[in-house]
Amino acid sequence: MSNRQTKTDVILIGAGIMSATLGSLLKELAPDWEITVFERLESAGEESSNEWNNAGTGHSSLCELNYTAEKQDGSVEISKAVKVNEEFQVSKQFWSYLVKSNLIQNPRDFIMQLPHMSFVQGERNVSFLKRRFEALSKHPLFEGMEFSDDPEQLKEWIPLMMKDRKVDQPMAATKIDTGTDVNFGSLTRKLFNHLESENVQINYKHSVDDIKRTDDGAWELKVRNLDTGVSERRTAKFVFIGAGGGSLHLLQKSGIPEGKGIGGFPVSGLFLVCKKSEIVEQHYAKVYGKAPVGAPPMSVPHLDTRLIDKKESLFFGPFAGFSPKFLKTGSLFDLFMSIKMNNVSTMTSAGLKNFALTKYLINQVMLSKEQRMEALREFIPHAKSEDWELLVAGQRVQVIKNTDAGKGTLQFGTEVIHDADGSIAALLGASPGASTAVSVMLEVIEKCFPQQIKEWEPKIKEMIPSYGGTLSERIELIRDLRDSAAETLELVNKEEDADEERRILQEV
């Protein structure tokens, strides 16, 4: 091990969308701070942020039925949907700022407008969807949402899904044209290219093997160069652990009391993918259904148009799988190594309480391709197995912790863990994840840099005009921000895009 010890202001562990976002925010707020990044893979955005490892949905609750719970009295609770939507609007504001400031270019490389739809069958589900629509469509964040239970209208909205479908039971859909598909891999790479241009030191193929607090309250990291095998010590006043599934292990190594008693449960994802243009051309939307009874929230089936490497394809899934790895490129011992004396009872309780989830995962792992095709045929009745291939997506580590709901409760969101003095923070959990990265990283900044927040607030409001208040109560601001983001991020629908291309060709 080298005796060289390098000091810096901020260390970011992991080169995914979270570290990219936090680094970009801090560079605007404190441009003189030295920031260093360590990533064990060869480039940025290769794990959960990679475009092939997630569904690319700009999660804003426009179509995700699991964000709107049905109450006992039959009404639909929309508070979580509103919160997730507001958080995505914050992300769009920051991305717009970066594009306007010429800090990143070509927004169409990472975001495109795409209708978001919910589709259900059966009288009870149709009734729920209509009540959901009535509750959401009154809210300004969901302006423009449409509902239809007319099969002829559905044939216009989703021709591929309605082709050869028996109309022998009630069915309905909601549609809103202002949804988005986001290539988080491309966005992550753009952000890190920007950070490199701002003299942020980014070290790829470097593994953080240990982390401990120094006598003066800073943090010392043992970092290993994976090419040379040489390890060295790096110290920083502030450390952010944004290593996806790898964050839990590093949080445990830090020894902070806030990280004790927390466990993680890994769930892998698989998608069926179609790249045949004659099929892809018949569907242009993200269409979410309802999760099967007993299935976890992250298993909501959806059929998505994706734009990756400027080519459209269709994704269907996700199908859950199980691997003890915490990262797609991780170790088979990850789950075992995460079990400590301080979380073993929490993990045991979670295992006992979530027997149904375990059974569900076992059933999912045992599915053949043809059985997965049968699930797809609930969406595309005439789908042929030879047109679809199976893609292994990323690993998600769900947080397990003791809560008011009981010991060993499985969490399905993202969570920031930080120590009392705010010198270290870690991001754990999964969905809605990347879509809410800016809100989550602002939370990190507020919790870890309280002394600077007042000084930084004007700049934050310049980057994110809605900062400091809730969008729900500011209808005019919602519309202004929506129009501004649409212009800056070049968000147009497919028909408008085609008209623009024709206009340009005519001018030429």
Side-chain angles (χ1 to χ4, degrees), residues 368-381:
S368 64
K369 182 183 178 183
E370 188 53 33
Q371 287 172 314
R372 293 187 172 102
M373 288 300 300
E374 284 302 313
L376 171 59
R377 290 183 187 115
E378 291 287 318
F379 277 66
I380 307 176

Side-chain angles (χ1 to χ4, degrees), residues 447-489:
K447 289 180 174 178
C448 297
F449 303 101
Q451 299 87 352
Q452 287 93 347
I453 278 294
K454 191 168 183 180
E455 174 193 345
W456 288 347
E457 190 169 319
K459 182 65 179 180
I460 296 176
K461 286 185 174 178
E462 178 189 341
M463 298 186 290
I464 301 151
S466 69
Y467 181 76
T470 57
L471 267 175
S472 302
E473 300 163 359
R474 303 151 84 183
I475 296 175
E476 288 306 314
L477 181 59
I478 289 174
R479 290 171 180 159
D480 289 346
L481 292 174
R482 182 184 294 147
D483 293 344
S484 174
E487 181 179 355
T488 304
L489 299 176

Side-chain angles (χ1 to χ4, degrees), residues 316-331:
F316 176 76
F319 298 98
F322 176 76
S323 165
K325 293 181 179 182
F326 276 9
L327 293 163
K328 194 172 179 179
T329 56
S331 164

Side-chain angles (χ1 to χ4, degrees), residues 120-130 147 149 170-172:
V120 298
Q121 299 182 85
E123 188 174 336
R124 189 177 185 282
N125 289 334
V126 169
S127 173
F128 164 74
L129 188 64
K130 189 167 187 178
F147 171 90
D149 55 6
M171 60 187 68

Side-chain angles (χ1 to χ4, degrees), residues 259-278:
K260 296 187 185 301
I262 295 176
F265 185 79
V267 178
S268 58
L270 300 94
F271 286 94
L272 286 168
V273 179
C274 177
K275 299 178 182 177
K276 291 193 172 183
S277 58
E278 64 270 25

